[in-house]
Structures are given as C-alpha cells and as structure tokens.
Amino acid sequence: MCKAVVALRRERRLKENLEQRLANSERQLIETQALARIGNWEFDLTNDQIRWSDETFRIFGIETDLQEPDFADILLSIHPDDAPAFDRAIQRAVIAGESYRLDLRIRCPNGQLKHIHAQGSPVRDETQEVVRIIGTVLDITERKYAEQKLFHEATYDALTGLVTRRPLNAKLDSAIQAAREANTSLSVCVSDVDKFKSVNDTYGHAAGDEILAAFAQILRDGIRAIDIPGRLGGDEFCIVFSQTTAAQALICLERVRVRLETTVFRAAGSQYSVTATFGVAEWRVGMTAKDLLEAADQALYRAKQKGRNCVLAVD
C-alpha cells in the first residue's frame, strides 16, 4: 500500500475522531447546561442575528425547531415591569460597551411565569467597536419561589396568616412616619383572648388553635384594608389603625369584641364561647413605636383590671 493512501486514511480517521470529539463535546455542553439550567446566547450586531443554545430555548419555553426569535420577541417575553431595564442594559452594552447582570421575569408561550438571571458582555473587534453581545440566562425560578416562601414564613404567622412581631414593628414605624408627615391620626390596639390558657387546658391545643385562627379572621373582617393586623405571639394580637383616632378605633373594636363573644365554638361534644380584651393608644408627636405599643399595653392591663371582655383607651 502506497504511503499516500496510508496518509489519506490516517487523515480521514483523525478527521472522524475530531468530529466525534466535537459532537461529544457539544452533547456534554447541552447536557451540562440542562443540568445547571443555564443557557447561552449571542447577539451579532453586524447582521442583527441572535443565536441561542438549546437550553436557552427551553428556559424561554420555545421549540428549538421554530424560527429563532429576534430581539423584539425577547422583549415581548419579558415582564412589562422588567423589560425597560433589560432594554437599557442592552443599549448600554451596545453603545458604551458595558456588561450587565439582571434578574428578570419572563412569560413563556404556555403562560408560565419564570424568573431568570441574565448576564451579558460586549465583544469588540480590532477597532474597539462592539460587534457582538454574548450572554447567559440562568433559570432561578425555584430559588425565587424558595426565597419567597422563606420570606413569607418569616413575615407571616403560619396559624393565623397575620404578620408577626418584627415586620409589624417595621410597619408601625412606617405608619408613624406617614402620620407625622401628613399630620394625621394613628392609633394602636393590643388585645388578647381572655383566660386563653384555661380554654386551651380544657379543650385542647387544637381547640386553642381554632380560636386563634377565628379571632384573627374576625379582626381582618372588622377593619379596613389600610389597617394592619398582626400576631405578637401566643394569644396576643395587635392592630395598627391608620388615619384613626382612639375614639374611632374604640367603635371598631367594640364591634369586633361583640362578634367574637357571639361566636360559638365546639369541642369534645361541648359548645362554648370566648371573649377578648382590647387596649388602645393614640399616637402623639414624639412617641416612638415602642412608646405607642407600651401605651396600648397599659390600656390593655387597665381593661383587664376592670373585668376583661371590654375595650379601653389609655387616658
């Protein structure tokens, strides 16, 4: 066999091996991107073409055998509140050569809302003109939902759905600032279920949880959308009444008190009712959130001294 034929066969085998290695490399890249939920893309400014990896198509919910989308298609898929920021980032990348990192929401063709982290970097030619934008998109939907769940669990009480003490304090601080700036009234109520421990011991913790959940719903039903109900802990609740004097809050809370008193609960074959006591304080200039809560607590203490099941405002 002549040397030329041997060399030709060797060259052919090398070429086939190279093609196989390239194919394996592309397959591994596709599999790795799918596993990491990250896709890559390229925007060629010289011909206005966009190329996406298979995983980018999957993230956007678009079939790979369809025509590749143009830039307008991308903007249409991005949530209207996020699209301007993405458009500005692309413009800065093209004009000023700036890289960007953004968290965006996109709407897939099937209606699914996803969260993505988008990164992009400009590529310059030998004259330092930006000729391409390369980037990646990372599907962070699960992470965002996990963060939202953690935030909700840290902010809202699992049993009643009301905000917990710390976020309530933050909301009260904001309400005080708003009342100060607008020169409007603000009142706070602190309340608890009368003899709750006795009810809990008699009918069990399940019955106690039912009472707390019912009381929370009665509070929600009895106040306005601008008012903020919260659970401070145990059977202790709080309401922040915006644009409300103590006298106005007393009228509202009396209706809540009667509603709870007339609610019938059932446990262990028995029917029973519970009552609650309410203390109210009105914000005065110079009072902090801590001052206001302490004043409402003092009103609650005095109401209990009067015999409970009543509504009382601090003097």
Side-chain angles (χ1 to χ4, degrees), residues 8-9 32 35 61 91 94 103 106 115 147 155 191 204 206 252 255 264:
L8 182 62
R9 289 182 176 179
T32 301
L35 183 63
Q91 292 300 324
V94 173
D103 285 352
I106 61 172
H115 295 262
E147 290 173 353
T155 305
S191 65
C252 172
R255 292 195 297 266
V264 177

Side-chain angles (χ1 to χ4, degrees), residues 204-215:
H205 291 289
D209 287 349
E210 181 184 358
I211 290 170
L212 295 177
F215 187 28

Side-chain angles (χ1 to χ4, degrees), residues 80-102:
D81 293 342
D82 298 340
F86 178 71
D87 191 29
R88 288 193 298 269
I90 290 293
Q91 292 300 324
R92 288 196 299 268
V94 173
I95 297 172
E98 297 179 4
S99 299
Y100 66 84
R101 296 169 179 261
L102 291 172

Side-chain angles (χ1 to χ4, degrees), residues 254-273:
E254 179 60 22
R255 292 195 297 266
V256 170
R257 185 196 66 79
V258 172
R259 170 81 181 279
L260 177 64
E261 184 182 34
T262 55
T263 298
V264 177
F265 295 93
R266 294 175 175 82
S270 301
Q271 290 189 175
Y272 62 96
S273 61

Side-chain angles (χ1 to χ4, degrees), residues 193-202 235:
V193 178
D194 296 331
K195 301 180 180 179
F196 180 71
K197 184 178 184 304
S198 176
V199 174
N200 228 8
D201 292 342
T202 302
D235 65 319

Side-chain angles (χ1 to χ4, degrees), residues 87-271:
D87 191 29
R88 288 193 298 269
I90 290 293
Q91 292 300 324
R92 288 196 299 268
V94 173
I95 297 172
E98 297 179 4
S99 299
Y100 66 84
R101 296 169 179 261
L102 291 172
D103 285 352
L104 305 169
R105 291 163 293 175
I106 61 172
R107 181 73 68 180
C108 296
N110 64 1
Q112 181 185 7
L113 181 67
K114 289 184 178 180
H115 295 262
I116 65 170
H117 177 70
Q119 294 186 190
S121 296
V123 177
R124 301 177 185 272
D125 62 10
E126 61 277 1
T127 66
Q128 295 304 304
E129 181 181 357
V130 177
V131 292
R132 288 185 297 145
I133 306 294
I134 59 173
T136 59
V137 288
L138 174 64
D139 187 345
I140 59 172
T141 305
E142 290 187 3
R143 190 189 81 191
K144 283 291 185 180
Y145 286 158
E147 290 173 353
Q148 292 169 5
K149 181 180 178 182
L150 288 174
F151 173 79
H152 189 276
E153 291 174 349
T155 305
Y156 294 93
D157 175 56
L159 176 63
T160 64
L162 302 182
V163 293
T164 52
R165 182 182 291 270
R166 181 173 294 182
L168 183 69
N169 285 335
K171 291 177 181 293
L172 179 55
D173 283 332
S174 298
I176 289 175
Q177 182 177 349
R180 183 187 300 113
E181 293 175 351
N183 193 27
T184 56
S185 301
L186 174 69
S187 295
V188 165
C189 160
V190 175
S191 65
D192 60 24
V193 178
D194 296 331
K195 301 180 180 179
F196 180 71
K197 184 178 184 304
S198 176
V199 174
N200 228 8
D201 292 342
T202 302
Y203 298 103
H205 291 289
D209 287 349
E210 181 184 358
I211 290 170
L212 295 177
F215 187 28
Q217 187 59 53
I218 290 172
L219 290 178
R220 274 191 291 260
D221 292 343
I223 61 178
R224 303 163 302 174
I226 63 172
D227 301 325
I228 306 169
R231 184 184 180 190
L232 300 179
D235 65 319
E236 190 176 15
F237 294 82
C238 179
I239 304 174
V240 179
F241 288 98
S242 298
Q243 303 173 23
T244 305
T245 64
Q248 293 169 329
L250 288 175
I251 296 172
C252 172
L253 292 169
E254 179 60 22
R255 292 195 297 266
V256 170
R257 185 196 66 79
V258 172
R259 170 81 181 279
L260 177 64
E261 184 182 34
T262 55
T263 298
V264 177
F265 295 93
R266 294 175 175 82
S270 301
Q271 290 189 175

